[in-house]
Amino acid sequence: MRSDSVKRGSQSAPHRSLLNALGLTKEEMERPIIGIVSSQNDIVPGHMNLDKIVEAVKMGVAMAGGTPIVFPAIAVCDGIAMGHVGMKYSLVTRELIADSTEAMALAHAFDALVMVPNCDKNVPGLLMAAARVNIPTIFVSGGPMLAGKVDGCKTSLSSLFEAVGAFNAGKMTEEKLEEFENKACPTCGSCSGMYTANSMNCLTEVLGMGLKGNGTIPAVYSERIRLAKHAGMKIMELLEKNIRPRDIMTLDAFKNALTMDMALGCSTNSMLHLPAIAHETGIELDIDMANEISAKTPNLCHLAPAGHTYIEDLNEAGGIYAVMDEISKLGLLKTDLITCTGKTVAENIKGCINRNHDVIRPAENPYSENGGIAVLKGNLAPNSCVVKRSAVAPEMLKHEGPARVFDCEEDALKAINSGKIVDGDVVVIRYEGPKGGPGMREMLNPTSAIMGRGLGSTVALVTDGRFSGASRGASIGHVSPEAAVGGNIALIEEGDIIQIDIPANTINFVVSGEELARRRANWKPRKPEITTGVLARYAALVTSGNRGAVLELPR
């Protein structure tokens, strides 16, 4: 065992002395040492309950003959960080989480790991660490929040952001806004729709790194505690069989994840995180394959913000395995892959039926014949950009309109809220990419303001930043190359006609080659506003959105 390097032999007497100082008995030292990575904190609603999950994991590990030892991972609440400088730090934490977990796991010679994450960057950050460290690892998340209720209808955080837009437009009273505020987020857990956190927790199941229910069992259910105990027990089996993350997260597993991403209608942030996780396994996942997969994968779920069902409804309908079973009927999943259950995908999903055809459409009656996410290319985004097609109004799948250009989120939001954005406009927000932000901020406030003002079926938004999973509408992000490195988005001028054709996977702005060359000759890089600390280091090393915004050392 790896932990023998700090437990066995006379040369390890100093190490054992320090383990004694922890209160570990000789009997505990003789067992495998299992690291439990706890993301618990008191600022993220999705993480406030993780102490209960961690205690259950510890019990499961001990019941199965291991010695559990807990160490922490950080996590940012994207909702609280939204709309101010805090959002510059959100994506950055993904790398910090991966780096710090790698350091802790290898420095202390753990034999195996149980990851306990829940929210947006925390899940992919720990999946990246698992791939990098590559010792037996299993995930158990904190679970989704229950939906709120306003006027007898289920609601969520995305509804509240849009309510702010409606209030600013004079379409909602202050009293009604306060009601939304008090009812939208009624429990602990990751926010209740198919936003980024729940997208990644569900895809963790698909990848084979979490047990059944990891993505869908609500945070407040006792079933979640039982799941955590089973995860603690299961890690001992994975250790015995030496099943490691890179055995599970293969290229075929990532293709399964992309396929299920399309079927579920996940957050566009998955198009950042899946390539980044794959990168840590040594696989370069080209997101261009998303369109090929989307073309043959039906969209079966319209969870909030795309529709009016929530993760709790998906759980009752049979969960991720039930959706996988529907998709497998079409022969679109590789089902002979090993997973953290110790069984194959086929064995896992056997008998997992679809219990609610209103929540999970049958494969023969999908919401659409194509998947929930589309990758677009054209002279506006030569390398690519991404849109959550399943959350776009049908009339906006093709759109042409004048560019309204802003060099930061705040300026765009001010224009939207003051009524300067009108039907037909295409709002362009640039210099918000991984380098330009730095940090690739989410644009939930502008998209919610557009929706709140009733412009969702007439106005598009294009950015080199990204979107919260709670965003909906013609919200096109991850434009690559980004403005900060001289991407064509930096050369768009006010009034340029932008042509968006999501079914054709294209996005262009109308400009002649000569005019584009003139603009490029006149373009100058902007001086970075932030030159110190983690954001400066991040900006120096980060790659573009189409590569997952991974960090890369200068050559």
Side-chain angles (χ1 to χ4, degrees), residues 431 483-486 490-491 518-527:
Y431 294 102
V485 299
L491 308 180
R518 183 192 68 78
R519 294 181 188 182
R520 180 163 301 286
N522 291 331
W523 179 81
K524 294 180 181 178
R526 300 201 320 175
K527 290 184 178 180

Side-chain angles (χ1 to χ4, degrees), residues 239-527:
L239 178 60
E240 180 183 358
K241 295 179 178 178
N242 196 28
I243 298 174
R244 304 183 181 210
R246 293 190 190 183
D247 299 324
I248 296 171
M249 293 193 287
T250 61
L251 178 58
D252 282 334
F254 283 107
K255 288 181 178 179
N256 278 357
L258 281 171
T259 299
M260 287 299 296
D261 193 324
M262 299 302 168
L264 290 164
C266 291
S267 163
T268 52
N269 280 317
S270 62
M271 294 293 104
L272 283 175
H273 299 323
L274 289 175
I277 299 161
H279 179 74
E280 296 293 347
T281 70
I283 297 169
E284 295 306 314
L285 195 65
D286 186 350
I287 65 167
D288 283 358
M289 74 171 65
N291 285 339
E292 179 185 343
I293 290 173
S294 178
K296 56 188 177 184
T297 306
N299 177 226
L300 304 185
C301 299
H302 265 194
L303 298 154
H308 301 289
T309 54
Y310 295 82
I311 301 297
E312 64 192 71
D313 302 312
L314 179 59
N315 187 63
E316 294 301 317
I320 299 305
Y321 281 9
V323 186
M324 293 179 75
D325 183 63
E326 289 286 355
I327 292 298
S328 71
K329 295 174 185 176
L330 303 175
L332 298 178
L333 293 180
K334 188 77 170 176
T335 60
D336 60 351
L337 309 179
I338 193 66
T339 71
C340 70
T341 65
K343 300 177 181 178
T344 64
V345 172
E347 291 172 311
N348 287 342
I349 66 176
K350 185 178 180 180
C352 295
I353 61 171
N354 179 0
R355 299 192 184 96
N356 189 332
H357 291 186
D358 292 328
V359 177
I360 306 170
R361 288 279 187 91
E364 62 272 13
N365 182 34
Y367 280 103
S368 67
E369 297 293 335
N370 303 114
I373 289 177
V375 176
L376 315 183
K377 286 187 176 183
N379 68 354
L380 197 155
N383 288 350
S384 71
C385 57
V386 176
V387 63
K388 187 171 183 177
R389 172 171 33 201
S390 59
V392 178
E395 58 268 33
M396 289 298 290
L397 290 172
K398 291 185 179 182
H399 180 75
E400 181 175 308
R404 305 299 308 279
V405 182
F406 304 93
D407 286 349
C408 67
E409 174 190 0
E410 289 81 0
D411 289 350
L413 187 60
K414 188 182 301 182
I416 297 166
N417 285 334
S418 63
K420 294 179 180 178
I421 302 302
V422 299
D423 290 347
D425 285 347
V426 179
V427 177
V428 176
I429 305 177
R430 61 192 181 191
Y431 294 102
E432 290 284 9
K435 284 185 181 292
M440 205 178 188
R441 287 195 289 180
E442 290 182 341
M443 301 294 150
L444 181 56
N445 279 343
T447 59
S448 298
I450 288 169
M451 286 293 174
R453 296 188 76 86
L455 298 171
S457 60
T458 59
V459 169
L461 192 154
V462 178
T463 181
D464 53 8
R466 60 194 178 92
F467 296 106
S468 164
S471 288
R472 63 189 177 104
S475 305
I476 300 166
H478 309 188
V479 170
S480 302
E482 62 174 292
V485 299
N488 285 352
I489 190 173
L491 308 180
I492 297 173
E493 294 184 357
E494 186 81 7
D496 284 350
I497 298 300
I498 294 179
Q499 299 170 330
I500 300 165
D501 190 336
I502 295 173
N505 303 118
T506 62
I507 183 166
N508 292 285
F509 64 112
V510 180
V511 61
S512 69
E514 294 79 6
E515 174 61 14
L516 191 62
R518 183 192 68 78
R519 294 181 188 182
R520 180 163 301 286
N522 291 331
W523 179 81
K524 294 180 181 178
R526 300 201 320 175
K527 290 184 178 180

Side-chain angles (χ1 to χ4, degrees), residues 13-255:
H15 307 83
R16 289 195 297 272
S17 178
L18 293 167
L19 295 176
N20 286 334
L22 291 174
L24 293 184
T25 65
K26 182 178 180 181
E27 291 81 1
E28 287 174 303
M29 288 188 221
E30 288 174 348
R31 298 175 175 182
I33 305 295
I34 310 300
I36 302 174
V37 186
S38 171
S39 304
Q40 195 277 332
N41 63 45
D42 293 338
I43 188 60
V44 184
H47 292 221
M48 62 183 285
N49 66 317
L50 295 191
D51 54 343
K52 306 286 193 303
I53 303 297
V54 166
E55 285 303 313
V57 171
K58 287 173 66 178
M59 185 172 292
V61 169
M63 288 168 62
T67 297
I69 297 182
V70 180
F71 66 88
I74 65 169
V76 161
C77 177
D78 276 26
I80 296 174
M82 193 72 65
H84 59 96
V85 70
M87 183 46 68
K88 291 181 181 290
Y89 288 88
S90 172
L91 186 58
V92 174
T93 64
R94 186 187 72 181
E95 319 308 315
L96 296 175
I97 291 161
D99 291 348
S100 59
T101 303
E102 173 197 2
M104 288 293 289
L106 295 182
H108 299 101
F110 288 106
D111 294 305
L113 297 171
V114 182
M115 307 292 200
V116 187
N118 211 28
C119 287
D120 294 31
K121 310 310 165 300
N122 191 244
V123 180
L126 290 180
L127 282 165
M128 290 165 67
R132 194 183 297 175
V133 174
N134 200 35
I135 60 177
T137 302
I138 196 169
F139 278 65
V140 56
S141 77
M145 184 184 291
L146 294 179
K149 272 196 173 180
V150 174
D151 298 330
C153 298
K154 288 183 179 181
T155 190
S156 61
L157 185 65
S158 58
S159 303
L160 178 53
F161 271 94
E162 291 180 16
V164 172
F167 173 75
N168 288 334
K171 297 182 177 183
M172 180 178 287
T173 65
E174 187 172 354
E175 291 74 21
K176 179 57 73 172
L177 178 62
E178 185 175 359
E179 183 181 359
F180 268 95
E181 176 184 332
N182 289 327
K183 294 181 177 179
C185 300
T187 70
C188 62
S190 48
C191 294
S192 55
M194 187 56 86
Y195 311 144
T196 305
N198 291 326
S199 294
M200 294 311 301
N201 280 322
C202 290
L203 293 179
T204 297
E205 268 190 72
V206 179
L207 282 170
M209 292 296 292
L211 298 177
K212 178 186 178 185
N214 177 72
T216 60
I217 298 171
V220 295
Y221 284 13
S222 297
E223 186 182 358
R224 175 69 52 179
I225 300 298
R226 297 197 296 272
L227 180 73
K229 290 176 182 176
H230 283 131
M233 290 185 273
K234 184 61 68 172
I235 191 61
M236 299 306 295
E237 179 185 329
L238 295 175
L239 178 60
E240 180 183 358
K241 295 179 178 178
N242 196 28
I243 298 174
R244 304 183 181 210
R246 293 190 190 183
D247 299 324
I248 296 171
M249 293 193 287
T250 61
L251 178 58
D252 282 334
F254 283 107
K255 288 181 178 179

